Amino acid sequence: MKTISTAKSHGGVQGVYSHASEACACDMTFAVFVPPQAKDGPCPVVWYLSGLTCTHQNVMDKGEYRRLAAEFGLIVVCPDTSPRGESVPDEKDNWQFGCGAGFYLDATQAPFSTNYRMYSYITEELPALIAKEFPADMTRQAIFGHSMGGHGALTIALKDPERFKSCSAFAPITRPMVAGWSRPAFEKYLGTDEAAWRAYDAVALIEDGKRFPEFLVDQGSADGFLEDGLRPWLLDEACKAAGIPLKLNMREGYDHSYFFISTFMDDHLRWHAERLAK
């Protein structure tokens, strides 16, 4: 692991790091905030997964999470959204696919299967590195994210409910198998057999029997992607059918941007802190 930068913030340390990833077959960059409480012992870990076109930088610069993370003693890990580099296959004119659009899945189709293994990276490789290099209490983990990252958080939590104490999302893609801006990516990454897609679709996972204790979702009513890409009502219907408590907040007038995310970031961090403290 290489340290790219560190800065003191709210008594803790905001760092940016890189390492050679085996899962993604390239160098990966990620951000970690370590709160001041870490000097006294390991702290719980909250994972934040970013959305399409983003890197670790977006939430680090605009997410406004450090004040409450320092207050509650939370380590916040912000990975990149996809592999990057000259050797990584990409569609530079397509913001919904390739670098910046890894969809937190393990691709099975060439040429993408070599690098686009974000599910394994987020669930296996990076947690092992965090456990080794940071004062992290890996018995207490939470996960949340935005848009594509909200999709990733929901699916990862549903498939590993014993690992995560809580899960939430800002404007998640709830049904990527059929959404206009994610379905083409699924076909390129996973092939044409839609049965394989269900492992990376929150609604499908719930329909197939996966469960999580409860979810928190915030969604802006003025989000331009609401109808075609996000459709939180589909998650609401699936959760009701499965008996999963879902707190779905429709936020009047808010869009898809970090103005929306930063407004409600405190609510999500409090949600996770309460559950990580139990």
Side-chain angles (χ1 to χ4, degrees):
M1 188 182 77
K2 299 178 181 177
T3 300
I4 296 174
S5 66
T6 58
K8 188 173 183 178
S9 180
H10 295 279
V13 176
Q14 176 65 68
V16 179
Y17 310 91
S18 68
H19 71 117
S21 167
E22 292 185 9
C24 297
C26 66
D27 287 346
M28 295 292 287
T29 302
F30 61 97
V32 179
F33 175 72
V34 177
Q37 293 88 336
K39 68 180 183 296
D40 299 320
C43 294
V45 178
V46 180
W47 297 84
Y48 178 88
L49 307 185
S50 290
L52 285 161
T53 76
C54 292
T55 69
H56 67 282
Q57 191 90 30
N58 299 76
V59 69
M60 188 178 76
D61 290 350
K62 298 182 286 187
E64 301 178 13
Y65 57 82
R66 279 170 290 269
R67 179 182 60 82
L68 271 194
E71 179 180 329
F72 292 128
L74 305 174
I75 291 175
V76 180
V77 182
C78 307
D80 201 347
T81 54
S82 66
R84 300 180 193 271
E86 292 183 2
S87 63
V88 176
D90 190 18
E91 292 184 5
K92 296 185 183 300
D93 59 347
N94 183 2
W95 64 275
Q96 296 171 332
F97 184 75
C99 293
F103 280 94
Y104 303 100
L105 51 76
D106 281 353
T108 57
Q109 303 301 300
F112 310 107
S113 55
T114 298
N115 303 102
Y116 288 86
R117 302 184 67 246
M118 289 300 295
Y119 182 82
S120 291
Y121 178 69
I122 296 296
T123 62
E124 298 174 13
E125 185 176 22
L126 190 54
L129 185 65
I130 297 299
K132 177 183 177 183
E133 299 288 349
F134 296 91
D137 179 357
M138 302 303 282
T139 67
R140 292 186 292 162
Q141 297 185 62
I143 190 166
F144 70 144
H146 170 230
S147 192
M148 179 185 72
H151 136 76
L154 292 170
T155 58
I156 289 170
L158 281 163
K159 288 190 282 188
D160 200 352
E162 297 301 318
R163 174 183 292 192
F164 299 101
K165 303 294 186 183
S166 55
C167 176
S168 70
F170 299 102
I173 307 172
T174 65
R175 194 77 162 99
M177 285 181 62
V178 298
W181 63 345
S182 49
R183 181 179 173 84
F186 270 42
E187 184 168 343
K188 292 175 185 177
Y189 285 137
L190 301 171
T192 57
D193 181 5
E194 296 187 17
W197 302 7
R198 299 183 69 84
Y200 303 106
D201 184 296
V203 170
L205 285 167
I206 293 171
E207 290 175 347
D208 293 344
K210 298 296 184 183
R211 297 292 182 265
F212 198 77
E214 57 184 339
F215 294 117
L216 167 65
V217 171
D218 274 278
Q219 172 65 61
S221 67
D223 192 320
F225 303 113
L226 183 58
E227 296 292 333
D228 182 47
L230 307 175
R231 296 177 291 178
W233 51 87
L234 298 178
L235 179 66
D236 188 36
E237 292 168 1
C239 286
K240 285 178 178 176
I244 300 173
L246 167 63
K247 185 177 182 181
L248 174 58
N249 299 314
M250 292 300 299
R251 303 296 189 176
E252 184 65 30
Y254 284 90
D255 60 15
H256 199 68
S257 72
Y258 268 89
F259 296 112
F260 157 64
I261 296 168
S262 62
T263 300
F264 301 104
M265 178 64 78
D266 283 7
D267 294 347
H268 285 246
L269 289 174
R270 287 191 179 96
W271 167 276
H272 293 298
E274 289 173 3
R275 285 149 184 81
L276 287 167
K278 293 179 181 178

